[in-house]
């Protein structure tokens, strides 16, 4: 089978690079539509506006309505048409970027992502995740191409919430775990082929970078300082993870993470994507009969050390019953599930058993530290 690798056209990362945004946008067009929420606009708006002004661009600013829904996609798309925007720029977190990406595709204009937090790998990917008005996960779309430009200002990321940074490590930590499973099962990647050697090495590098520098980077972000560890982990969370998951493969960790979004108790806790995926990783480790026990423990210990959830209690699911999780098991065993990207058959019972085993393992390892 053919191998396919997909990637953004240009990736820029560093302290203060946001002030260069206008120069990069100028490579693509003249009238950028910038989608952001009011919090992000207050934080970085003056820098973005000054940069676009210096580059002679006519900026069209649009405030995000708060959720990545089909209605928001249509609303922002219509505003882009009316304004004759030729670039769709998402500035902020994953949901804003996902809508901006869809608008770029719908309006056939350039696509630019400017993540202000490194909470997931959406910025580099060609995918958008959709939710309904009640914040339930609905589906995801894969676009024909990745963003034309991804620009990450590491000082902005380091100034942001530590929790988002850690959640990004949860999302990125899953990349190798899932890519390895999907590779062994000869599964097709999201790009529509088998993984290249480059994708496998990128996924592995992502994993090793996190284990080596993740804890240091978390401490540094708590101080809002930009260090080599922070730079390495931002690259892992945003670039390596994005390239790795799309051109490598996904499996059970993301299936569990996505399905936890629809559990009311998890919603009530307002968990981030990477936090739910973090529990999905532990579940997948408990599902895999070839998993080395020491490696399994070391991955769980790393999650605990940086503060990712590894137990039902941390997901607001303390005392959850098997019946309450049955829908997750059924979806995992159902058609189109990412759980089929393993070199063994996965049933609903296998998944439910693995979830309870994951919770027990998580509690056990927490007691050890
Ligand atoms: Zn993810």
């Amino acid at each position: 089978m053919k191998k396919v690798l997909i990637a953004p056209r240009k990736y820029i990362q560093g302290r203060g690079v946001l002030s260069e945004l206008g120069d990069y946008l100028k490579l693509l067009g003249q009238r950028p539509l910038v989608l952001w929420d009011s919090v992000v606009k207050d934080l970085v708006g003056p820098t973005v506006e000054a940069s676009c002004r210096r580059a002679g661009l006519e900026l069209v600013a649009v405030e995000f309505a708060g959720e990545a829904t089909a209605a928001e996609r249509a609303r922002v798309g219509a505003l882009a048409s009316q304004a004759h925007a030729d670039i769709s720029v998402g500035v902020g977190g994953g949901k804003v970027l996902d809508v901006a990406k869809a608008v770029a595709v719908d309006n056939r204009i350039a696509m630019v992502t400017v993540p202000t937090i490194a909470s997931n790998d959406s910025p580099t990917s060609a995918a958008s995740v959709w939710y309904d008005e009640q914040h339930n996960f609905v589906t995801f779309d894969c676009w024909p191409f990745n963003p034309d430009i991804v620009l990450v200002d590491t000082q902005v990321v380091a100034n942001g919430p530590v929790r988002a940074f850690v959640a990004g490590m949860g999302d990125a930590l899953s990349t190798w775990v899932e890519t390895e499973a999907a590779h062994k099962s000869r599964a097709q990647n999201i790009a529509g082929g088998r993984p290249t050697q480059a994708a496998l090495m990128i996924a592995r590098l992502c994993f090793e970078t996190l284990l080596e520098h993740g804890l240091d980077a978390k401490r540094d972000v708590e101080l809002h300082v930009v260090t080599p560890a922070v730079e390495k982990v931002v690259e892992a969370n945003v670039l390596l993870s994005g390239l790795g998951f799309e051109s490598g493969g996904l499996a059970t960790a993301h299936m569990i993470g996505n399905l936890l979004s629809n559990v009311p108790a998890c919603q009530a806790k307002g968990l981030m994507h990477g936090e739910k995926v973090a529990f999905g990783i532990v579940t997948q480790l408990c599902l895999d009969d070839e998993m080395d026990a020491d490696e399994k423990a070391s991955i769980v210990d790393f999650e605990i050390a940086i503060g990712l959830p590894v137990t039902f209690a941390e997901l607001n699911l303390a005392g959850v019953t098997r019946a309450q999780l049955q829908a997750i098991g059924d979806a995992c065993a159902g058609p189109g599930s990412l759980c089929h990207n393993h070199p063994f058959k996965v049933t609903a019972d296998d998944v439910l058993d693995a979830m309870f085993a994951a919770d027990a393992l998580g509690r056990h390892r927490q007691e050890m530290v």
Side-chain angles (χ1 to χ4, degrees):
M1 191 203 266
K2 67 186 175 188
K3 294 169 191 279
V4 182
L5 174 94
I6 57 176
R9 287 168 83 189
K10 200 182 275 281
Y11 177 83
I12 304 127
Q13 176 189 314
R15 188 207 298 265
V17 294
L18 194 62
S19 64
E20 299 173 42
L21 179 63
D23 298 326
Y24 285 107
L25 293 179
K26 211 171 157 181
L27 303 172
L28 297 168
Q30 272 301 312
R31 289 178 67 80
L33 176 141
V34 172
L35 181 67
W36 48 21
D37 64 27
S38 58
V39 175
V40 166
K41 187 182 175 185
D42 286 348
L43 283 174
V44 302
T47 307
V48 170
E49 283 159 2
S51 173
C52 288
R53 212 168 26 246
R54 273 198 310 278
L57 304 175
E58 297 169 56
L59 186 149
V60 183
V62 174
E63 195 161 319
F64 183 54
E67 186 53 277
T69 61
E72 179 66 352
R73 171 184 179 180
R75 180 186 77 91
V76 180
L79 291 171
S81 302
Q82 278 166 26
H84 303 290
D86 51 13
I87 318 171
S88 175
V89 188
V91 182
K95 290 175 190 289
V96 170
L97 306 191
D98 281 3
V99 172
K101 285 192 274 188
V103 168
V105 174
D106 292 345
N107 293 47
R108 296 182 172 274
I109 57 180
M111 181 194 295
V112 174
T113 57
V114 183
T116 53
I117 51 176
S119 64
N120 60 49
D121 50 25
S122 160
T124 52
S125 84
S128 291
V129 181
W130 299 108
Y131 297 84
D132 64 20
E133 308 289 348
Q134 286 72 45
H135 314 292
N136 290 305
F137 168 78
V138 178
T139 184
F140 64 90
D141 275 319
C142 294
W143 310 118
F145 292 101
N146 295 60
D148 293 286
I149 290 176
V150 180
L151 186 139
V152 196
D153 190 321
T154 34
Q155 184 66 66
V156 173
V157 171
N159 289 348
V162 176
R163 182 180 165 193
F165 188 72
V166 169
M169 287 198 262
D171 196 25
L173 189 68
S174 71
T175 303
W176 168 250
V177 177
E178 292 179 271
T179 289
E180 189 187 28
H183 179 58
K184 280 185 185 165
S185 70
R186 307 286 188 270
Q188 205 175 49
N189 62 25
I190 287 172
R194 300 254 355 262
T196 57
Q197 295 176 80
L200 296 173
M201 292 309 290
I202 286 167
R204 184 67 201 178
L205 177 64
C206 182
F207 183 73
E208 290 172 357
T209 300
L210 293 172
L211 291 185
E212 188 174 349
H213 302 288
L215 196 51
D216 287 345
K218 184 200 173 185
R219 271 199 311 273
D220 297 341
V221 168
E222 282 168 347
L223 300 172
H224 306 306
V225 294
V226 178
T227 59
V230 170
E231 291 282 4
K232 286 189 173 90
V233 171
V234 169
E235 185 185 329
N237 284 11
V238 178
L239 181 65
L240 304 179
S241 178
L243 297 174
F245 100 83
E246 277 190 315
S247 295
L250 291 174
T252 293
H254 263 76
M255 195 66 192
I256 296 288
N258 290 340
L259 290 168
L260 284 171
S261 301
N262 298 356
V263 177
C266 287
Q267 278 185 2
K269 179 125 197 228
L271 291 162
M272 302 184 79
H273 170 71
E275 293 173 330
K276 289 173 278 192
V277 169
F279 184 78
I281 295 171
V282 187
T283 304
Q284 184 180 318
L285 298 178
C286 292
L287 185 71
D288 191 338
D289 60 346
E290 281 195 5
M291 194 64 217
D292 177 86
D294 289 341
E295 191 178 5
K296 182 162 67 175
S298 70
I299 294 171
V300 177
D301 288 354
F302 172 72
E303 290 198 18
I304 293 169
I306 60 170
L308 285 168
V310 294
T311 62
F312 283 146
E314 290 164 292
L315 300 173
N316 204 24
L317 289 176
V320 71
T321 64
R322 199 174 175 94
Q324 287 169 318
L325 296 178
Q326 188 64 44
I328 291 182
D330 291 343
C332 283
S337 164
L338 296 168
C339 298
H340 301 315
N341 291 348
H342 287 280
F344 47 84
K345 187 171 160 48
V346 174
T347 67
D349 277 335
D350 293 336
V351 171
L352 292 174
D353 286 352
M355 289 182 82
F356 281 94
D359 170 60
L361 175 64
R363 283 186 281 119
H364 173 66
R365 298 306 305 182
Q366 280 177 340
E367 285 163 13
M368 308 274 286
V369 288

